[in-house]
Amino acid sequence: MFNLIIFGPPGAGKGTQSAMLIEKYGLTHLSTGDVFRANIKGETELGVLAKSYMDKGELVPDSVTIAMVEDFVKSHEAKGFIFDGFPRTLSQGEALDEILTKFGTQINVVLALEVDEDELVKRLLERGKSSGRVDDQDETIIRNRFKEYNDKTEPLLAFYEKQNKANRVFGMGEIDEIFGRLCEAIDAKLNS
Ligand code: ADP
């Protein structure tokens, strides 16, 4: 199996790039944000709980998120996973290692998209006009998501840097150009 994490602040383009990576490398996509939104739509118990955090731009508690990811990994036959929006805290990162170890596999590469904060705010407010996402329509909520990212998620990159798995990728420019940079990092790992 070849498993990767796509990492980056809200609006960095993780979803867009994931779709292209899945196509090219035949990976199975797990976007925790998408799974939460599907649960909100389906009005499940998990959805009601997740919504109370997401609408404020806060992270959903680790225990809930980790259980959901373990369930997903267990129930999908995959050549490899692309984790998008997970892990977002150090304890989620440690839990993911444990989950993958149980399945005899591991994270191979971490791609960290880097984009200026002002550009991110612009992208998210633009996306909010058509996505209907509450968390994309209000600059205070967007700023809170950045704060969550900077406080809880950014430090996780050091965890992957220590394992020599992190690749910082410049996330500004044309979509195809950024995709090329990501593929380069993946192919270097695949061929090593
Ligand atoms: P973005 O990366 O643009 O913020 P996502 O769809 O990945 O969009 O996440 C939206 C929201 O879903 C987050 O602000 C958070 O509330 C919740 N969420 C998604 N993934 C996680 C996670 N791994 N841990 C906790 N909360 C999460």
Side-chain angles (χ1 to χ4, degrees):
M1 269 175 106
F2 187 81
N3 302 298
L4 66 90
I5 293 172
I6 187 152
F7 193 88
K14 299 186 293 286
T16 306
Q17 297 295 336
S18 292
M20 295 163 78
L21 293 169
I22 289 154
E23 175 102 352
K24 176 161 178 182
Y25 295 99
L27 300 166
T28 297
H29 188 209
L30 170 53
S31 157
T32 41
D34 286 353
V35 177
F36 285 136
R37 279 185 291 276
N39 275 278
I40 291 172
K41 213 166 160 208
E43 295 176 352
T44 68
E45 207 177 307
L46 173 65
V48 173
L49 177 77
K51 186 170 164 47
S52 64
Y53 295 94
M54 289 167 78
D55 284 355
K56 289 185 274 186
E58 291 169 10
L59 294 185
V60 177
D62 281 344
S63 56
V64 176
T65 310
I66 292 165
M68 184 178 89
V69 169
E70 179 151 20
D71 234 38
F72 186 95
V73 171
K74 227 187 267 174
S75 58
H76 287 76
E77 279 281 336
K79 209 169 94 176
F81 289 101
I82 175 163
F83 296 96
D84 162 4
F86 182 89
R88 262 173 146 108
T89 62
L90 184 58
S91 89
Q92 290 182 14
E94 289 166 349
L96 181 60
D97 280 352
E98 280 173 30
I99 293 169
L100 294 178
T101 302
K102 272 193 220 164
F103 291 90
T105 186
Q106 56 160 353
I107 289 299
N108 299 90
V109 59
V110 179
L111 304 167
L113 284 168
E114 298 193 310
V115 181
D116 287 351
E117 216 161 272
D118 289 342
E119 165 74 15
L120 293 171
V121 175
K122 248 199 286 170
R123 287 187 193 176
L124 290 168
L125 288 171
E126 195 53 42
R127 182 170 82 184
K129 286 185 197 160
S130 55
S131 71
R133 275 179 60 171
V134 179
D135 61 345
D136 281 348
Q137 291 172 16
D138 177 317
E139 192 161 337
T140 314
I141 299 174
I142 292 175
R143 296 278 174 201
N144 197 36
R145 285 156 67 199
F146 290 150
K147 187 173 178 327
E148 289 279 71
Y149 181 81
N150 291 328
D151 291 352
K152 298 177 183 163
T153 310
E154 231 287 322
L156 184 55
L157 204 51
F159 174 74
Y160 291 110
E161 262 160 0
K162 262 190 234 138
Q163 301 180 34
N164 263 329
K165 291 180 179 167
N167 295 268
R168 293 175 186 267
V169 175
F170 185 52
M172 313 247 302
E174 297 294 321
I175 288 175
D176 285 338
E177 203 183 330
I178 300 164
F179 181 61
R181 292 179 202 136
L182 295 174
C183 294
E184 234 174 81
I186 295 172
D187 294 342
K189 197 76 187 185
L190 275 173
N191 298 325
S192 68

